[in-house]
Amino acid sequence: MMRVTDSMIFGNADLLSQRARVAVNTAEQQAATGVRVQHAGDDPAAAGQMISHQLNASRLTAIAAGATAASAELKSADGALQGVNNVLIRATEVATQMANSSNNAGDRASAAQEVDQLIASVVGDLNAKVGSRYVLGGTSDNAAPFSADGTYNGDANVRQVEIAPGVYQASSVNAAAAIKGVGGGVDVIGALQALSAALKANDPSAVSNTLTALQAGTSQVASARASAGNSMNTFDSAISLLQSQSGAETATVSALGDIDEVTAAGNLALAQRSLDAALTASAQGFQLSLLDKIR
Amino acid sequence: MGDLLSVLQNAASSLSAARGAAQTASNNLENVNTPGYSRQTAVIQSVIPSDRLGGATLGNGSMLATVTQSRDRFVEAQMPVALGSASSSLAQTNTLQSVTALDPSATDGIAASLGNFYSALRALQQDPSNPALRQTALASSQALARSFNQASSSISSARSAVDSQLQTTLPQVNQLASQVASLNLQIQQAGTSGGSPNALLDARQQAEDQLVQLTGAVPVKDNKGNVNLALSDGTALVSGDAAAQFSVAPDATNGGHLALRITHTDGTGPTAVQVSSGTLGGLITARDGALQSASSGLDQLAAGVADSVNTAHAAGFAEDGSTGRVLFTGTASAGTISVNAAIAADPTLFAAAGDPAAASGDAGALQAMIATESQTSVNGNTPEGAAAQLVAGFGSAQQSASALSDHDAAVSNQLTTMRASASGVSVDEETINLTQAQQGYQAIARVITAANACFDALFAVQ
């Protein structure tokens, strides 16, 4: 039979109540903060995974933000190209009409004025900005890419923006090719300027000759818009996927490191009950002594 | 007549024995809460009979043979290792848990700063000439460097704190070793005069326990009754009445952290000594184990990230077209890493472009810097993998130390309970012993009264 001594009784009471209080303290902290893995040692495997998922969530969020901005810039570029397209359609109508010999010099002079206004409108559209950036300047985006006379000041570079870690997508329109026809296309502004000149010269034949370039320019701009649209679709799909993945990563971090309220409350209640039992048992043990029974 | 005197003599001896039993029980009760006190037992035995009456042998009462200490040798033999291990793992746990720099949820921790750094590069990549984004990228670079600095400083502080603890603990260790040696001598001297010097034995046991907790030394009793203590590498800490003395000296091979040295019991030394258990062993294990490993892991992570980013940055071009600058300097250690002062002073020197023309929207260098995120630049790991491995590795060390501490504490508590069961004082038991001795004393007093009545009767006959 094991002897039970007073130091055992008090030592055990101290130990048991301390253990119970530690459990209550841990449960209280978890219930108050909702955090299960506060320190790496709380769950090393989860802690390591949390780091990976946190970084991944952060990466995906940043890529989504960049893709969102790129999509907005493409929309702006597309808007500008749509304006150019509208101008080209109108210019084609004017050219077709003014190529007819029934029009006189006055009619063509007035049409030339309209075309000049259209050219100014095109230049304005093509100098579209998002924030501080000119979206149709290529990588030379801190100054207006088109001068009033139609000179292109940008470059032929196409900016690339991430749509997934390490995967890049074209995020700008190559205005040098789409508008100025670099690489074998049509100089759209040049075609408009040629129309204006032909109208001012009251030369129906020359006016008629601009139609080919205007129609080719229309196709060229439409092609650029289609390309921009594809990129926009790619970005929009990527954004949706990135946001979904980022949300999943954040949820995983939470699942690894947090504790749900019900579990936390249950743990706290259990720990408090254990502490109550430990204290009650200790107090009962202290009350029983032979000293209280003999005189 | 002679027989009646024998009765009185026997009663006197028996009374003395009963008084000894009562005093022993009283002493036990008075020391019920005295740390290190072992319950004492009065050993009363019959006096060997020498009187004969007719053909019968008459008893000669009782006597107090000795007062013994109650100790369970089986438990006592296991206590030193249990106490040393429990103290060692507790010291390790406390030291490792004081480091929070690698907490996975820290908002300003390495992972968050690393994520923010690459996010800022991505934002700048979208609009490289934007001064606000450039400033943000610079600030994120500085925050990342600061985060490495802080984590390194936190680990370094914990390691330095161990040095301080060693320095404050050693005087106590030296004092206890001297105390055990001195008590060895006193107990030997007391033993020559007969009897068991119980109070001295208790004092030595208590000092021995404390010394074992601090150093993990193993006690060995010699045939003279001395307790000799040997450290884990076999070095004698206490040998008879001589005690070795600890000291510390900076260890150049360990970043100047303090190494233990010992002046031996024969006065030679000091020489280097290895302590792998007890509080000292736990502190050193934490400092030179998990903390050093975390520190070097952090240095490797910082250097891997910074060097790969620096390579991409140096190949890029600033707004003014200049090139060849690194973004981070002092990359050899996480504690010294910082952002290039020239770039910090002039954010336009942040090399975003990949082309010498450095067009405003050129983000070639930024893309190369972003690509370092997935490069295996840290000992075959990506920065993300290395950071996760660092945190998980340190967490495992924390958890292992904590689990070991719980286990060792449970073993130690169990043995302490068993020791308390064998050597502790029970108030109930001693109250019974005291009452028993008191009643025995009263009964023996009755014998004297009876013998006295016999004498009176004899004297009345004359």
Side-chain angles (χ1 to χ4, degrees), chain A residues 3 5-6 39 41 54 58-59 66 133 139 141-142 159-160 162 290, chain B residues 103-104 122 125-127 360-361 373 384 398 420-421 425 427-429:
Chain A
R3 283 182 74 240
T5 62
D6 289 63
H39 307 295
Q54 279 169 359
S58 163
R59 179 183 307 128
R133 300 186 54 247
T139 54
D141 58 4
N142 59 345
R159 297 177 63 250
Q160 302 284 324
E162 263 182 314
L290 186 60
Chain B
D103 283 359
R122 284 191 163 92
Q125 184 229 346
Q126 190 67 28
D127 190 358
S360 55
E373 193 181 28
E384 173 194 313
Q398 277 183 324
S421 173
V425 173
V427 171
D428 292 347
E429 196 176 65

PDB file of all heavy atoms in Angstrom, chain A residues 3 5-6 39 41 54 58-59 66 133 139 141-142 159-160 162 290, chain B residues 103-104 122 125-127 360-361 373 384 398 420-421 425 427-429:
ATOM      1  N   ARG A   3       2.087   4.816   0.823  1.00  0.00           N
ATOM      2  CA  ARG A   3       1.852   5.828   1.862  1.00  0.00           C
ATOM      3  C   ARG A   3       1.438   7.132   1.187  1.00  0.00           C
ATOM      4  O   ARG A   3       2.000   7.502   0.159  1.00  0.00           O
ATOM      5  CB  ARG A   3       3.131   6.106   2.651  1.00  0.00           C
ATOM      6  CG  ARG A   3       3.498   5.063   3.678  1.00  0.00           C
ATOM      7  CD  ARG A   3       4.771   5.495   4.411  1.00  0.00           C
ATOM      8  NE  ARG A   3       4.541   6.567   5.355  1.00  0.00           N
ATOM      9  CZ  ARG A   3       5.120   7.770   5.304  1.00  0.00           C
ATOM     10  NH1 ARG A   3       5.938   8.066   4.326  1.00  0.00           N
ATOM     11  NH2 ARG A   3       4.869   8.682   6.221  1.00  0.00           N
ATOM     12  N   THR A   5       1.387  11.030   1.933  1.00  0.00           N
ATOM     13  CA  THR A   5       1.873  12.014   2.904  1.00  0.00           C
ATOM     14  C   THR A   5       1.307  13.390   2.575  1.00  0.00           C
ATOM     15  O   THR A   5       0.752  13.608   1.490  1.00  0.00           O
ATOM     16  CB  THR A   5       3.410  12.073   2.865  1.00  0.00           C
ATOM     17  OG1 THR A   5       3.803  12.499   1.559  1.00  0.00           O
ATOM     18  CG2 THR A   5       4.007  10.703   3.156  1.00  0.00           C
ATOM     19  N   ASP A   6       1.496  14.303   3.525  1.00  0.00           N
ATOM     20  CA  ASP A   6       0.935  15.643   3.331  1.00  0.00           C
ATOM     21  C   ASP A   6       1.582  16.366   2.157  1.00  0.00           C
ATOM     22  O   ASP A   6       0.914  17.085   1.412  1.00  0.00           O
ATOM     23  CB  ASP A   6       1.096  16.458   4.625  1.00  0.00           C
ATOM     24  CG  ASP A   6       0.166  15.949   5.715  1.00  0.00           C
ATOM     25  OD1 ASP A   6       0.326  14.784   6.139  1.00  0.00           O
ATOM     26  OD2 ASP A   6      -0.749  16.692   6.096  1.00  0.00           O
ATOM     27  N   HIS A  39       2.304  30.091 -32.264  1.00  0.00           N
ATOM     28  CA  HIS A  39       3.750  29.913 -32.419  1.00  0.00           C
ATOM     29  C   HIS A  39       4.005  28.703 -33.319  1.00  0.00           C
ATOM     30  O   HIS A  39       3.170  27.792 -33.387  1.00  0.00           O
ATOM     31  CB  HIS A  39       4.411  29.697 -31.061  1.00  0.00           C
ATOM     32  CG  HIS A  39       4.065  30.758 -30.056  1.00  0.00           C
ATOM     33  ND1 HIS A  39       4.448  32.064 -30.214  1.00  0.00           N
ATOM     34  CD2 HIS A  39       3.351  30.706 -28.918  1.00  0.00           C
ATOM     35  CE1 HIS A  39       3.994  32.768 -29.205  1.00  0.00           C
ATOM     36  NE2 HIS A  39       3.316  31.974 -28.402  1.00  0.00           N
ATOM     37  N   GLY A  41       5.807  26.267 -32.848  1.00  0.00           N
ATOM     38  CA  GLY A  41       5.834  25.029 -32.083  1.00  0.00           C
ATOM     39  C   GLY A  41       4.448  24.490 -31.754  1.00  0.00           C
ATOM     40  O   GLY A  41       4.319  23.336 -31.333  1.00  0.00           O
ATOM     41  N   GLN A  54       0.346  31.368 -47.196  1.00  0.00           N
ATOM     42  CA  GLN A  54       0.293  32.829 -47.051  1.00  0.00           C
ATOM     43  C   GLN A  54       1.005  33.499 -48.228  1.00  0.00           C
ATOM     44  O   GLN A  54       0.488  34.454 -48.823  1.00  0.00           O
ATOM     45  CB  GLN A  54       0.997  33.261 -45.752  1.00  0.00           C
ATOM     46  CG  GLN A  54       0.153  33.119 -44.506  1.00  0.00           C
ATOM     47  CD  GLN A  54       0.991  33.295 -43.250  1.00  0.00           C
ATOM     48  OE1 GLN A  54       2.200  33.498 -43.319  1.00  0.00           O
ATOM     49  NE2 GLN A  54       0.349  33.210 -42.113  1.00  0.00           N
ATOM     50  N   SER A  58      -0.664  35.791 -51.112  1.00  0.00           N
ATOM     51  CA  SER A  58      -0.154  37.133 -51.364  1.00  0.00           C
ATOM     52  C   SER A  58       0.251  37.283 -52.832  1.00  0.00           C
ATOM     53  O   SER A  58      -0.051  38.291 -53.487  1.00  0.00           O
ATOM     54  CB  SER A  58       1.040  37.372 -50.432  1.00  0.00           C
ATOM     55  OG  SER A  58       1.799  38.434 -50.860  1.00  0.00           O
ATOM     56  N   ARG A  59       0.919  36.264 -53.369  1.00  0.00           N
ATOM     57  CA  ARG A  59       1.360  36.277 -54.766  1.00  0.00           C
ATOM     58  C   ARG A  59       0.158  36.338 -55.715  1.00  0.00           C
ATOM     59  O   ARG A  59       0.118  37.169 -56.626  1.00  0.00           O
ATOM     60  CB  ARG A  59       2.166  34.996 -55.031  1.00  0.00           C
ATOM     61  CG  ARG A  59       2.671  34.857 -56.451  1.00  0.00           C
ATOM     62  CD  ARG A  59       3.394  33.529 -56.627  1.00  0.00           C
ATOM     63  NE  ARG A  59       4.416  33.340 -55.634  1.00  0.00           N
ATOM     64  CZ  ARG A  59       4.552  32.281 -54.853  1.00  0.00           C
ATOM     65  NH1 ARG A  59       3.705  31.279 -54.943  1.00  0.00           N
ATOM     66  NH2 ARG A  59       5.528  32.201 -53.978  1.00  0.00           N
ATOM     67  N   GLY A  66      -2.532  43.142 -60.619  1.00  0.00           N
ATOM     68  CA  GLY A  66      -1.856  43.555 -61.853  1.00  0.00           C
ATOM     69  C   GLY A  66      -2.700  43.230 -63.069  1.00  0.00           C
ATOM     70  O   GLY A  66      -2.815  44.042 -64.003  1.00  0.00           O
ATOM     71  N   ARG A 133      -0.260  56.798 -67.174  1.00  0.00           N
ATOM     72  CA  ARG A 133       0.316  56.093 -68.299  1.00  0.00           C
ATOM     73  C   ARG A 133      -0.490  56.286 -69.586  1.00  0.00           C
ATOM     74  O   ARG A 133      -1.717  56.229 -69.572  1.00  0.00           O
ATOM     75  CB  ARG A 133       0.401  54.597 -67.996  1.00  0.00           C
ATOM     76  CG  ARG A 133       1.260  54.283 -66.788  1.00  0.00           C
ATOM     77  CD  ARG A 133       1.431  52.793 -66.634  1.00  0.00           C
ATOM     78  NE  ARG A 133       1.935  52.220 -67.873  1.00  0.00           N
ATOM     79  CZ  ARG A 133       1.249  51.395 -68.640  1.00  0.00           C
ATOM     80  NH1 ARG A 133       0.027  51.036 -68.290  1.00  0.00           N
ATOM     81  NH2 ARG A 133       1.763  50.932 -69.745  1.00  0.00           N
ATOM     82  N   THR A 139       6.198  50.738 -74.339  1.00  0.00           N
ATOM     83  CA  THR A 139       6.865  50.931 -73.051  1.00  0.00           C
ATOM     84  C   THR A 139       7.294  52.387 -72.854  1.00  0.00           C
ATOM     85  O   THR A 139       7.769  52.755 -71.791  1.00  0.00           O
ATOM     86  CB  THR A 139       8.116  50.029 -72.946  1.00  0.00           C
ATOM     87  OG1 THR A 139       8.950  50.264 -74.068  1.00  0.00           O
ATOM     88  CG2 THR A 139       7.715  48.564 -72.890  1.00  0.00           C
ATOM     89  N   ASP A 141       5.712  55.203 -72.173  1.00  0.00           N
ATOM     90  CA  ASP A 141       4.326  55.510 -71.825  1.00  0.00           C
ATOM     91  C   ASP A 141       4.163  56.756 -70.974  1.00  0.00           C
ATOM     92  O   ASP A 141       3.107  56.990 -70.401  1.00  0.00           O
ATOM     93  CB  ASP A 141       3.699  54.301 -71.097  1.00  0.00           C
ATOM     94  CG  ASP A 141       4.471  53.920 -69.849  1.00  0.00           C
ATOM     95  OD1 ASP A 141       5.443  54.632 -69.507  1.00  0.00           O
ATOM     96  OD2 ASP A 141       4.109  52.913 -69.215  1.00  0.00           O
ATOM     97  N   ASN A 142       5.221  57.550 -70.861  1.00  0.00           N
ATOM     98  CA  ASN A 142       5.094  58.730 -69.998  1.00  0.00           C
ATOM     99  C   ASN A 142       4.916  60.029 -70.782  1.00  0.00           C
ATOM    100  O   ASN A 142       4.985  61.111 -70.223  1.00  0.00           O
ATOM    101  CB  ASN A 142       6.308  58.839 -69.071  1.00  0.00           C
ATOM    102  CG  ASN A 142       7.607  58.942 -69.846  1.00  0.00           C
ATOM    103  OD1 ASN A 142       7.633  58.663 -71.050  1.00  0.00           O
ATOM    104  ND2 ASN A 142       8.664  59.326 -69.168  1.00  0.00           N
ATOM    105  N   ARG A 159       3.777  45.499 -73.684  1.00  0.00           N
ATOM    106  CA  ARG A 159       3.985  45.218 -72.256  1.00  0.00           C
ATOM    107  C   ARG A 159       3.398  43.855 -71.917  1.00  0.00           C
ATOM    108  O   ARG A 159       2.386  43.431 -72.480  1.00  0.00           O
ATOM    109  CB  ARG A 159       3.337  46.309 -71.407  1.00  0.00           C
ATOM    110  CG  ARG A 159       3.995  47.665 -71.664  1.00  0.00           C
ATOM    111  CD  ARG A 159       3.324  48.768 -70.900  1.00  0.00           C
ATOM    112  NE  ARG A 159       3.441  48.549 -69.470  1.00  0.00           N
ATOM    113  CZ  ARG A 159       2.421  48.217 -68.686  1.00  0.00           C
ATOM    114  NH1 ARG A 159       1.220  48.080 -69.207  1.00  0.00           N
ATOM    115  NH2 ARG A 159       2.597  48.039 -67.403  1.00  0.00           N
ATOM    116  N   GLN A 160       4.079  43.183 -70.990  1.00  0.00           N
ATOM    117  CA  GLN A 160       3.643  41.862 -70.567  1.00  0.00           C
ATOM    118  C   GLN A 160       3.260  41.910 -69.089  1.00  0.00           C
ATOM    119  O   GLN A 160       3.990  42.485 -68.281  1.00  0.00           O
ATOM    120  CB  GLN A 160       4.783  40.842 -70.753  1.00  0.00           C
ATOM    121  CG  GLN A 160       5.316  40.732 -72.168  1.00  0.00           C
ATOM    122  CD  GLN A 160       4.382  39.960 -73.083  1.00  0.00           C
ATOM    123  OE1 GLN A 160       3.746  38.995 -72.665  1.00  0.00           O
ATOM    124  NE2 GLN A 160       4.284  40.395 -74.334  1.00  0.00           N
ATOM    125  N   GLU A 162       1.713  39.496 -65.732  1.00  0.00           N
ATOM    126  CA  GLU A 162       1.501  38.116 -65.266  1.00  0.00           C
ATOM    127  C   GLU A 162       0.014  37.791 -65.153  1.00  0.00           C
ATOM    128  O   GLU A 162      -0.779  38.604 -64.664  1.00  0.00           O
ATOM    129  CB  GLU A 162       2.104  37.949 -63.867  1.00  0.00           C
ATOM    130  CG  GLU A 162       3.492  37.362 -63.841  1.00  0.00           C
ATOM    131  CD  GLU A 162       3.983  37.187 -62.420  1.00  0.00           C
ATOM    132  OE1 GLU A 162       3.828  38.118 -61.621  1.00  0.00           O
ATOM    133  OE2 GLU A 162       4.518  36.099 -62.118  1.00  0.00           O
ATOM    134  N   LEU A 290      -6.574  13.915  10.740  1.00  0.00           N
ATOM    135  CA  LEU A 290      -6.808  13.314  12.058  1.00  0.00           C
ATOM    136  C   LEU A 290      -6.827  14.389  13.142  1.00  0.00           C
ATOM    137  O   LEU A 290      -7.501  14.257  14.161  1.00  0.00           O
ATOM    138  CB  LEU A 290      -5.702  12.283  12.336  1.00  0.00           C
ATOM    139  CG  LEU A 290      -5.832  11.453  13.594  1.00  0.00           C
ATOM    140  CD1 LEU A 290      -7.126  10.620  13.580  1.00  0.00           C
ATOM    141  CD2 LEU A 290      -4.631  10.532  13.737  1.00  0.00           C
TER     142      LEU A 290
ATOM    143  N   ASP B 103       7.034  33.167 -35.728  1.00  0.00           N
ATOM    144  CA  ASP B 103       5.617  32.809 -35.610  1.00  0.00           C
ATOM    145  C   ASP B 103       4.953  32.914 -36.977  1.00  0.00           C
ATOM    146  O   ASP B 103       5.149  33.909 -37.692  1.00  0.00           O
ATOM    147  CB  ASP B 103       4.894  33.751 -34.633  1.00  0.00           C
ATOM    148  CG  ASP B 103       5.202  33.399 -33.188  1.00  0.00           C
ATOM    149  OD1 ASP B 103       5.947  32.416 -32.974  1.00  0.00           O
ATOM    150  OD2 ASP B 103       4.715  34.100 -32.302  1.00  0.00           O
ATOM    151  N   PRO B 104       4.169  31.920 -37.355  1.00  0.00           N
ATOM    152  CA  PRO B 104       3.606  31.924 -38.716  1.00  0.00           C
ATOM    153  C   PRO B 104       2.581  33.026 -38.958  1.00  0.00           C
ATOM    154  O   PRO B 104       2.376  33.440 -40.087  1.00  0.00           O
ATOM    155  CB  PRO B 104       2.958  30.539 -38.838  1.00  0.00           C
ATOM    156  CG  PRO B 104       2.707  30.111 -37.440  1.00  0.00           C
ATOM    157  CD  PRO B 104       3.787  30.720 -36.605  1.00  0.00           C
ATOM    158  N   ARG B 122       5.489  43.506 -58.197  1.00  0.00           N
ATOM    159  CA  ARG B 122       4.459  43.246 -59.222  1.00  0.00           C
ATOM    160  C   ARG B 122       3.651  44.516 -59.507  1.00  0.00           C
ATOM    161  O   ARG B 122       3.319  44.807 -60.660  1.00  0.00           O
ATOM    162  CB  ARG B 122       3.530  42.124 -58.757  1.00  0.00           C
ATOM    163  CG  ARG B 122       4.169  40.762 -58.866  1.00  0.00           C
ATOM    164  CD  ARG B 122       3.160  39.649 -58.661  1.00  0.00           C
ATOM    165  NE  ARG B 122       3.710  38.402 -59.165  1.00  0.00           N
ATOM    166  CZ  ARG B 122       4.395  37.527 -58.420  1.00  0.00           C
ATOM    167  NH1 ARG B 122       4.598  37.765 -57.140  1.00  0.00           N
ATOM    168  NH2 ARG B 122       4.874  36.435 -58.958  1.00  0.00           N
ATOM    169  N   GLN B 125       5.774  46.758 -61.493  1.00  0.00           N
ATOM    170  CA  GLN B 125       5.933  46.235 -62.839  1.00  0.00           C
ATOM    171  C   GLN B 125       4.803  46.727 -63.742  1.00  0.00           C
ATOM    172  O   GLN B 125       4.972  46.928 -64.938  1.00  0.00           O
ATOM    173  CB  GLN B 125       5.938  44.701 -62.791  1.00  0.00           C
ATOM    174  CG  GLN B 125       6.193  44.041 -64.130  1.00  0.00           C
ATOM    175  CD  GLN B 125       5.177  42.950 -64.420  1.00  0.00           C
ATOM    176  OE1 GLN B 125       4.459  42.517 -63.519  1.00  0.00           O
ATOM    177  NE2 GLN B 125       5.109  42.510 -65.646  1.00  0.00           N
ATOM    178  N   GLN B 126       3.640  46.950 -63.153  1.00  0.00           N
ATOM    179  CA  GLN B 126       2.477  47.410 -63.898  1.00  0.00           C
ATOM    180  C   GLN B 126       2.666  48.837 -64.403  1.00  0.00           C
ATOM    181  O   GLN B 126       2.186  49.192 -65.471  1.00  0.00           O
ATOM    182  CB  GLN B 126       1.245  47.332 -62.980  1.00  0.00           C
ATOM    183  CG  GLN B 126      -0.083  47.546 -63.662  1.00  0.00           C
ATOM    184  CD  GLN B 126      -0.384  46.419 -64.627  1.00  0.00           C
ATOM    185  OE1 GLN B 126       0.090  45.297 -64.424  1.00  0.00           O
ATOM    186  NE2 GLN B 126      -1.135  46.708 -65.671  1.00  0.00           N
ATOM    187  N   ASP B 127       3.398  49.628 -63.620  1.00  0.00           N
ATOM    188  CA  ASP B 127       3.566  51.042 -63.960  1.00  0.00           C
ATOM    189  C   ASP B 127       4.930  51.501 -63.438  1.00  0.00           C
ATOM    190  O   ASP B 127       5.024  52.217 -62.441  1.00  0.00           O
ATOM    191  CB  ASP B 127       2.426  51.849 -63.315  1.00  0.00           C
ATOM    192  CG  ASP B 127       2.393  53.279 -63.807  1.00  0.00           C
ATOM    193  OD1 ASP B 127       3.266  53.657 -64.612  1.00  0.00           O
ATOM    194  OD2 ASP B 127       1.498  54.023 -63.361  1.00  0.00           O
ATOM    195  N   SER B 360      10.068  54.392 -69.980  1.00  0.00           N
ATOM    196  CA  SER B 360       9.307  54.541 -68.737  1.00  0.00           C
ATOM    197  C   SER B 360       8.480  53.310 -68.386  1.00  0.00           C
ATOM    198  O   SER B 360       8.241  53.029 -67.215  1.00  0.00           O
ATOM    199  CB  SER B 360       8.396  55.763 -68.848  1.00  0.00           C
ATOM    200  OG  SER B 360       7.584  55.639 -70.013  1.00  0.00           O
ATOM    201  N   GLY B 361       8.033  52.575 -69.387  1.00  0.00           N
ATOM    202  CA  GLY B 361       7.192  51.412 -69.106  1.00  0.00           C
ATOM    203  C   GLY B 361       7.947  50.099 -69.149  1.00  0.00           C
ATOM    204  O   GLY B 361       7.339  49.029 -69.066  1.00  0.00           O
ATOM    205  N   GLU B 373      11.469  34.751 -57.288  1.00  0.00           N
ATOM    206  CA  GLU B 373      10.538  34.154 -56.329  1.00  0.00           C
ATOM    207  C   GLU B 373      10.431  32.641 -56.527  1.00  0.00           C
ATOM    208  O   GLU B 373      10.214  31.902 -55.566  1.00  0.00           O
ATOM    209  CB  GLU B 373       9.167  34.808 -56.506  1.00  0.00           C
ATOM    210  CG  GLU B 373       8.191  34.525 -55.395  1.00  0.00           C
ATOM    211  CD  GLU B 373       6.855  35.192 -55.660  1.00  0.00           C
ATOM    212  OE1 GLU B 373       6.516  35.384 -56.834  1.00  0.00           O
ATOM    213  OE2 GLU B 373       6.157  35.508 -54.692  1.00  0.00           O
ATOM    214  N   GLU B 384      10.152  30.761 -50.804  1.00  0.00           N
ATOM    215  CA  GLU B 384       8.937  30.311 -50.111  1.00  0.00           C
ATOM    216  C   GLU B 384       9.189  28.985 -49.397  1.00  0.00           C
ATOM    217  O   GLU B 384       8.860  28.824 -48.216  1.00  0.00           O
ATOM    218  CB  GLU B 384       7.804  30.144 -51.124  1.00  0.00           C
ATOM    219  CG  GLU B 384       6.552  29.528 -50.545  1.00  0.00           C
ATOM    220  CD  GLU B 384       5.593  29.082 -51.639  1.00  0.00           C
ATOM    221  OE1 GLU B 384       5.357  29.863 -52.560  1.00  0.00           O
ATOM    222  OE2 GLU B 384       5.101  27.943 -51.552  1.00  0.00           O
ATOM    223  N   GLN B 398      10.782  23.532 -31.232  1.00  0.00           N
ATOM    224  CA  GLN B 398       9.986  24.019 -30.095  1.00  0.00           C
ATOM    225  C   GLN B 398       9.070  22.920 -29.566  1.00  0.00           C
ATOM    226  O   GLN B 398       8.984  22.672 -28.362  1.00  0.00           O
ATOM    227  CB  GLN B 398       9.115  25.200 -30.535  1.00  0.00           C
ATOM    228  CG  GLN B 398       9.817  26.539 -30.552  1.00  0.00           C
ATOM    229  CD  GLN B 398       8.864  27.669 -30.922  1.00  0.00           C
ATOM    230  OE1 GLN B 398       7.966  27.496 -31.746  1.00  0.00           O
ATOM    231  NE2 GLN B 398       9.056  28.826 -30.330  1.00  0.00           N
ATOM    232  N   ALA B 420       8.090  11.406  -2.015  1.00  0.00           N
ATOM    233  CA  ALA B 420       7.251  11.975  -0.945  1.00  0.00           C
ATOM    234  C   ALA B 420       6.511  10.870  -0.206  1.00  0.00           C
ATOM    235  O   ALA B 420       6.277  10.963   1.002  1.00  0.00           O
ATOM    236  CB  ALA B 420       6.266  12.975  -1.546  1.00  0.00           C
ATOM    237  N   SER B 421       6.153   9.832  -0.938  1.00  0.00           N
ATOM    238  CA  SER B 421       5.454   8.715  -0.300  1.00  0.00           C
ATOM    239  C   SER B 421       6.380   7.992   0.672  1.00  0.00           C
ATOM    240  O   SER B 421       5.988   7.627   1.784  1.00  0.00           O
ATOM    241  CB  SER B 421       4.960   7.741  -1.371  1.00  0.00           C
ATOM    242  OG  SER B 421       4.428   6.581  -0.788  1.00  0.00           O
ATOM    243  N   VAL B 425       6.401  13.358   5.339  1.00  0.00           N
ATOM    244  CA  VAL B 425       5.754  13.244   6.653  1.00  0.00           C
ATOM    245  C   VAL B 425       4.247  13.221   6.452  1.00  0.00           C
ATOM    246  O   VAL B 425       3.704  14.048   5.718  1.00  0.00           O
ATOM    247  CB  VAL B 425       6.147  14.440   7.545  1.00  0.00           C
ATOM    248  CG1 VAL B 425       5.349  14.421   8.845  1.00  0.00           C
ATOM    249  CG2 VAL B 425       7.639  14.423   7.812  1.00  0.00           C
ATOM    250  N   VAL B 427       0.936  13.792   8.528  1.00  0.00           N
ATOM    251  CA  VAL B 427       0.478  14.360   9.804  1.00  0.00           C
ATOM    252  C   VAL B 427      -0.369  13.327  10.553  1.00  0.00           C
ATOM    253  O   VAL B 427      -0.222  13.167  11.779  1.00  0.00           O
ATOM    254  CB  VAL B 427      -0.322  15.658   9.551  1.00  0.00           C
ATOM    255  CG1 VAL B 427      -1.000  16.137  10.828  1.00  0.00           C
ATOM    256  CG2 VAL B 427       0.605  16.744   9.016  1.00  0.00           C
ATOM    257  N   ASP B 428      -1.211  12.629   9.821  1.00  0.00           N
ATOM    258  CA  ASP B 428      -2.053  11.600  10.458  1.00  0.00           C
ATOM    259  C   ASP B 428      -1.172  10.552  11.144  1.00  0.00           C
ATOM    260  O   ASP B 428      -1.371  10.208  12.309  1.00  0.00           O
ATOM    261  CB  ASP B 428      -2.926  10.897   9.411  1.00  0.00           C
ATOM    262  CG  ASP B 428      -3.985  11.823   8.842  1.00  0.00           C
ATOM    263  OD1 ASP B 428      -4.198  12.902   9.434  1.00  0.00           O
ATOM    264  OD2 ASP B 428      -4.575  11.478   7.803  1.00  0.00           O
ATOM    265  N   GLU B 429      -0.190  10.078  10.374  1.00  0.00           N
ATOM    266  CA  GLU B 429       0.666   9.001  10.868  1.00  0.00           C
ATOM    267  C   GLU B 429       1.463   9.457  12.090  1.00  0.00           C
ATOM    268  O   GLU B 429       1.555   8.742  13.098  1.00  0.00           O
ATOM    269  CB  GLU B 429       1.625   8.622   9.731  1.00  0.00           C
ATOM    270  CG  GLU B 429       2.320   7.304   9.883  1.00  0.00           C
ATOM    271  CD  GLU B 429       3.152   7.018   8.626  1.00  0.00           C
ATOM    272  OE1 GLU B 429       4.115   7.759   8.359  1.00  0.00           O
ATOM    273  OE2 GLU B 429       2.810   6.078   7.910  1.00  0.00           O
TER     274      GLU B 429
END
